[in-house]
Amino acid sequence: MPWTTHEVSNVVPELKDIPLYQRDLALQQALQRGGARAYEASLADYGNVLGREQTIRWAEDANRHKPELQTFDRGGQRIDLVNFHPAWHAVMGLLRGQNLVSLPFSDPRPGSWSAYAAGFYLHAQTEDGSLCPASMTFASIPVLQQEPALFAQLAPKLYSTIYDPRDLPIPQKDSILIGMGMTEKQGGSDVRSNTTTATPIASAQGRGAAYSLVGHKWFFSAPMSDAHLVLARTPAGLSCFYVPRFRPDGTKNAVQIQRLKDKLGNSSNASSEVEFLGAWGQMVGEEGRGIPTILQMATYTRLHCVIGSAGLVRAATLQAVHYARQRQAFGKRLVDQPLMQSVLADMALESEAATQLMMALALAQAFEHGDAPLARAVQRIVTPAAKFWVCKRGVALAGEAMEVFGGNGYVEEGPMARLFRAMPVNSIWEGSGNVMCLDLLRAIAREPAAWQLLLDDLAVRSQGEARLQPALQSLRNTATDEADGRRLAQTLVLLVQAVLLRECAPGLVAEGFIASRFHADWGRVYGVLPAGVDRAAIIARAWGEAL
């Protein structure tokens, strides 16, 4: 046609209809080591579903059309309803159908923890916002199990693989979601400053009794959930309460949503501010022990932050490699140009190290309640350090991945803008970086025997690799100075990742990681790799090509 000015060429097609599980060699090998071969076929199928174009469109629509708060119905009655785009419900249906809300609890076969982590990680690569309500529901299960009568009523609905978005009293639903409410305006992470109060409704008080809650929550995650676990103050101190959307008599509970948060990312998922105006709640756990009770959830939600960030890192890396494999510049593909190879290979090393670490943390959960002190040490000490490191590294990696696309990465039509905005939430939610470092220091101080056991294990596993010994010695000499908490967390995670890659990854991957991460020049930006690292082979493995 006469107005055509150019031929469309050298434009990289969208990454879609890709088998996410089958392309991820590191994940496959970690799953097998976790004794989860029985779940491989299901995860492969789920990876196919998550990678197909229809699911990608659902994820985009769920984030483009944000949740909307409907405060009143047509008759003027207060309903505090959060309305979602149909794409959100489609994605939530996939997640629930894959049993990613309760798997290790509802189906505790060998390998279930590894399979759960793998599914959660795969789901994050397509749509991360939907993982928030799933994470909290999952984490609520061990807390609610402490109240046998209550849990007996809820267990079938917590364990269900049928997604039920209807806003109804819990007895009328096929499945339920549980959220959490800890943060208040005046305290943030300092929940001991919470002012929400709980007053007994009848003469019965304490564990299992009904209370009336008055106060507010500045961050009330997933307000459409069927119930929340919240902190409120009684004469004995902060206690944990189960607060459903509907009272036992079927009337709407007095939890009023003031507004939904307008967030940087994680847009598909609703976060809110609420007021309790005499809300009905049932005490869970011992009175005055609310913080330790509800922090049991954090044990799992912090692990979820690591898994989710590892999934996002994998997604960003895969997108960058895909783009570089097809985009031509200066006469050859980007992926064949040495400087770009350094960047992509460095990202690939970061991704595989994060994948191996999150799978190791999940496997440690499988032994947490048994006679496994080393697993306990990993769970208690390494998890906060991993949340600090993996989530924070993901933010920088997303920026590098966007830059691979050039200007194309900075527009909303492509995948990178949403990935970039999604990255910081896991670093903030459930305790920011400094909170995680303080938690690490407290764990070491409180459990010195566990810390020593962990160091001894790392010493055995790092034998024969001289480049790891200074890091190990640094950890042994640590004085747990608060100001040095970030250095301690970084050193610990890098050492754990190094020994995992030595044991689990091809030699060239382990060599690339150790040669870079334990080199004096490493760390300022991605793409600074020493000579001798097989960049092309590392990129090929990240793309799914067997070495």
Side-chain angles (χ1 to χ4, degrees), residues 10 22-23 121 143 189 202 390 402 446 476 513 528 541:
N10 199 24
Q22 292 165 336
R23 278 289 174 88
Y121 159 93
V143 177
S189 296
V390 174
M402 179 182 287
R446 290 174 180 173
R476 288 195 184 279
F513 185 87
V528 180
R541 175 171 168 82

Side-chain angles (χ1 to χ4, degrees), residues 5 28 46 211 251 291 302 321 349 457:
T5 61
Q28 293 173 35
Y46 197 53
Y211 283 73
T251 60
I291 294 177
R302 289 172 177 177
V321 172
L349 291 172
D457 178 68

Side-chain angles (χ1 to χ4, degrees), residues 132 135-136 180 221 301 305 387 424-432:
C132 176
S135 170
M136 293 185 297
M180 64 191 304
S221 296
T301 53
C305 289
K387 182 187 178 305
V425 69
N426 286 330
S427 196
I428 297 169
W429 188 54
E430 289 303 271
S432 61

Side-chain angles (χ1 to χ4, degrees), residues 387-437:
K387 182 187 178 305
F388 163 78
W389 182 251
V390 174
C391 299
K392 197 167 294 294
R393 288 288 291 170
V395 177
L397 186 140
E400 287 288 357
M402 179 182 287
E403 195 169 324
V404 171
F405 283 66
N408 294 325
Y410 203 65
V411 298
E412 291 290 349
E413 289 177 323
M416 294 314 304
R418 178 160 64 89
L419 273 174
F420 184 75
R421 290 194 304 272
M423 282 291 187
V425 69
N426 286 330
S427 196
I428 297 169
W429 188 54
E430 289 303 271
S432 61
N434 283 353
V435 172
M436 290 301 97
C437 292

Side-chain angles (χ1 to χ4, degrees), residues 26-65:
L27 181 65
Q28 293 173 35
Q29 292 159 0
L31 193 76
Q32 292 169 5
R33 287 191 303 276
R37 288 182 179 273
Y39 296 92
E40 281 189 285
S42 173
L43 287 166
D45 289 343
Y46 197 53
N48 293 341
V49 170
L50 291 169
R52 70 188 182 191
E53 183 176 7
Q54 176 64 80
T55 309
I56 295 169
R57 297 289 90 80
W58 283 340
E60 292 172 346
D61 287 344
N63 283 272
R64 185 177 298 113
H65 304 283

